[in-house]
Amino acid sequence: MASLHVYPVKSLAGISLPASKLLPTGLPHDRQWMLVSGTGRFLTQREVPRMALIRTELTGDGVRLDLSGQESLELPHEPRHGRRSRVRVWKDECEVLDQGDEASRWLGLALGLDPAPRIVRLAPDRRRPQSHPERYGEQTTT
């Protein structure tokens, strides 16, 4: 059986969807946020397996992160105007906005990491490399 998932935060738990729009940039809200080390390198479950335990939920205002035994963390859909920086994700370099100290502290506790990772969001004006974006208009997929 086929399934459709979105991962609002790269390498955290995904969300199963019954249907979704398909935009030229992919599924809405997919991989808009990611965790980065103090050196600006993105983190994955390969390095931090505990990331798989953090659940994500899309809300009307953003995405909620949950971990058993810890209060939730809310990240707004509207980008915060945090510190801009550049991070490398595999072969691509991306411009991102830091989501603040509170989010970083939450992640440090959740993942047991010191120093705590930063959570960053892709800058809204960034250009994401696409093979042939002109081939894809807005679509709905199930």
Side-chain angles (χ1 to χ4, degrees):
M1 172 177 226
S3 63
L4 181 63
H5 291 79
V6 66
Y7 297 86
V9 182
K10 184 173 180 51
S11 285
L12 297 189
I15 301 167
S16 179
L17 301 175
S20 178
K21 287 185 177 183
L22 181 59
L23 305 174
T25 56
L27 298 175
H29 311 299
D30 192 42
R31 295 173 180 92
Q32 292 296 300
W33 294 270
M34 69 181 131
L35 279 55
V36 297
S37 69
T39 61
R41 187 178 50 78
F42 82 102
L43 300 173
T44 70
Q45 289 180 21
R46 287 183 202 113
E47 300 141 310
V48 187
R50 191 164 166 79
M51 289 173 69
L53 300 177
I54 300 176
R55 295 175 308 281
T56 57
E57 177 186 356
L58 292 172
T59 67
D61 297 326
V63 63
R64 178 180 302 121
L65 306 185
D66 283 303
L67 179 67
S68 182
Q70 195 166 324
E71 288 198 29
S72 298
L73 174 68
E74 299 276 342
L75 300 171
H77 284 308
E78 291 301 315
R80 292 183 180 155
H81 298 287
R83 180 180 50 92
R84 279 186 181 253
S85 61
R86 297 190 72 74
V87 298
R88 181 164 291 284
V89 180
W90 306 119
K91 294 180 181 179
D92 297 319
E93 195 169 279
C94 305
E95 189 160 346
V96 296
L97 300 173
D98 190 283
Q99 298 300 283
D101 293 339
E102 178 186 343
S104 182
R105 279 190 293 277
W106 190 94
L107 289 165
L109 287 171
L111 299 172
L113 296 177
D114 187 23
R118 305 300 295 185
I119 189 161
V120 298
R121 180 196 173 102
L122 291 173
D125 53 351
R126 96 289 188 208
R127 299 240 1 149
R128 182 172 156 188
Q130 298 293 319
S131 298
H132 297 283
E134 68 280 359
R135 292 185 187 172
Y136 310 104
E138 186 173 311
Q139 302 173 25
T140 300
T141 185
T142 56

